[in-house]
Amino acid sequence: MPEIGEEDALVRIVASGICRSDWHIWNGDWVWNGVHLPVTGILGHEIGGIIESVGSRVKRLTPGQRVTVPVHLACGRCSSCMRGLQNMCDDGDSSHHVPGSGGWAEYMRVPNADLNCVVLPDNVDELTAAALGCRYMTAWRAVHKQGAVKGGELVAVVGCGGVGLAAVEIAACLGAEVIAVDVDDAKLEQAKTLGAVSTVNAKGLSPDAVSSAVRKLTPGDRGVDLAVDALGLEQTVNTGLYSLKKGGRLAQIGLTSQQEKGFARIPLDLIVMKELRIVGSQGNPHWAFDELLSLVSQGRLRPSRLVSREVGLHDVGSVLHDMDAYRTSGYVVITDFAA
């Protein structure tokens, strides 16, 4: 049972996702970005829970409220937070709930709770909160804010894992025509159920061949307005870039792993000649949850549709090993916390 301070909240976890970001940290990735897993760290950052108790200086929260906790714990005082970029808080302890108290436990301590606990609408349950806790809200910012998608635009989503499928549903909800790209036919079929109008199976193909197939699905073979790389491989980055029309933009969500170690070769001349734009997207600022939760509350976005399995806390190890071979689909969420 974590001890809480004056500005903290103790949250009883009802649902907690097993995210590929957790897998990356568990796998020793991202050390080149300064992310390390301390021995005492508790992973888990896709949270749906209930306030159990609050510290004496917490003003906005009361026990019994249902909340989610953004993946990027924010201090609320640094220059990034003051600019509304809580997802890029300058506090070094705010990355993926490491070090400290994460969601793969019965209870977690949430620091600076008035800021870092987002109260759920009455009709949004804790399972849905866990489903939107990282991958979904990350896709929301990438498509809506950073990618600046507009109704009627053409969007290619490269990689239909958890964040990619979320990007498909979000882009379609916002009025775009979506082309989904993946190497797995089952994931491409799921993308269709979420709003994709076309799909491309990239298995065994070069980025140039995949992008050629994408462009053939667009008027005049010109390409898409927005590409979203939801995986972070050199191949998927370039597939997205090659798929763009002149003046197009790439929203980069995926982070690299051991193969790239933070670097990927890109076609620089193509970017110049076609005036392409690349914009990164990380998480979601705390203030931006209101609009996302409103669409979820209205039923226009349904993150819980991406939940493929509910498991127990004791199953986490086997799920992480399944992720080694990309054997998971959608979102796997812990809902059983019995010993």
Side-chain angles (χ1 to χ4, degrees):
M1 179 71 72
E3 294 183 5
I4 63 171
E6 293 180 339
E7 297 183 350
D8 301 342
L10 182 68
V11 174
R12 177 170 63 84
I13 306 299
V14 177
S16 183
I18 304 173
C19 180
R20 188 158 287 275
S21 295
D22 296 307
W23 176 87
H24 276 293
I25 298 171
W26 171 78
N27 200 45
D29 295 341
W30 301 349
V31 293
W32 46 87
N33 289 328
V35 178
H36 299 270
L37 176 62
V39 173
T40 56
I42 299 175
L43 290 172
H45 57 267
E46 295 183 325
I47 306 300
I50 300 171
I51 300 289
E52 188 82 3
S53 61
V54 298
S56 60
R57 295 178 63 184
V58 174
K59 297 179 173 60
R60 195 176 59 84
L61 303 168
T62 57
Q65 286 182 305
R66 297 175 312 106
V67 297
T68 189
V69 181
V71 54
H72 299 287
L73 298 174
C75 70
R77 298 177 294 273
C78 68
S79 60
S80 293
C81 285
M82 295 300 288
R83 290 185 293 134
L85 298 174
Q86 296 90 357
N87 56 316
M88 291 190 285
C89 176
D90 299 332
D91 181 349
D93 290 341
S94 64
S95 178
H96 294 91
H97 299 181
V98 177
S101 176
W104 293 355
E106 294 176 276
Y107 295 89
M108 71 175 291
R109 177 186 67 85
V110 182
N112 195 15
D114 276 332
L115 176 61
N116 288 318
C117 287
V118 176
V119 177
L120 299 174
D122 289 341
N123 62 340
V124 175
D125 62 18
E126 292 87 349
L127 181 65
T128 299
L132 64 80
C134 174
R135 289 164 282 187
Y136 205 95
M137 61 89 163
T138 294
W140 166 255
R141 178 168 172 79
V143 173
H144 176 54
K145 175 63 176 176
Q146 300 296 84
V149 73
K150 301 178 181 64
E153 286 193 320
L154 299 171
V155 176
V157 176
V158 184
C160 291
V163 71
L165 289 173
V168 169
E169 182 173 50
I170 291 163
C173 173
L174 296 177
E177 295 187 25
V178 182
I179 302 168
V181 180
D182 201 272
V183 297
D184 187 328
D185 282 333
K187 291 179 180 178
L188 292 174
E189 286 301 313
Q190 187 173 5
K192 287 182 180 178
T193 69
L194 296 169
V197 297
S198 303
T199 62
V200 173
N201 191 314
K203 189 172 184 178
L205 301 179
S206 67
D208 187 56
V210 178
S211 61
S212 177
V214 171
R215 292 195 305 271
K216 287 178 180 178
L217 296 170
T218 68
D221 297 352
R222 294 186 182 91
V224 298
D225 300 282
L226 172 67
V228 177
D229 175 22
L231 196 52
L233 305 177
E234 183 173 302
Q235 181 174 357
T236 55
V237 173
N238 287 317
T239 295
L241 288 169
Y242 292 153
S243 298
L244 292 172
K245 64 171 56 172
K246 293 178 180 178
R249 53 207 189 273
L250 171 69
Q252 184 63 39
I253 305 177
L255 288 165
T256 63
S257 53
Q258 293 291 342
Q259 183 174 344
E260 284 81 11
K261 287 185 169 62
F263 292 91
R265 295 172 298 174
I266 59 174
L268 191 61
D269 291 350
L270 180 73
I271 294 169
V272 173
M273 297 300 292
K274 295 181 72 173
E275 291 195 348
L276 305 180
R277 287 170 285 170
I278 304 175
V279 60
S281 192
Q282 175 179 241
N284 193 49
H286 293 29
W287 59 265
F289 273 80
D290 285 349
E291 189 175 8
L292 172 58
L293 283 170
S294 177
L295 290 172
V296 174
S297 180
Q298 295 168 35
R300 294 179 60 191
L301 293 174
R302 291 183 284 171
S304 60
R305 288 204 296 174
L306 294 177
V307 176
S308 59
R309 289 174 60 198
E310 296 181 39
V311 299
L313 191 60
H314 57 278
D315 296 315
V316 170
S318 63
V319 174
L320 289 171
H321 284 295
D322 284 343
M323 286 183 169
D324 287 338
Y326 293 89
R327 287 194 297 265
T328 60
S329 62
Y331 300 170
V332 180
V333 179
I334 306 162
T335 53
D336 179 4
F337 293 86

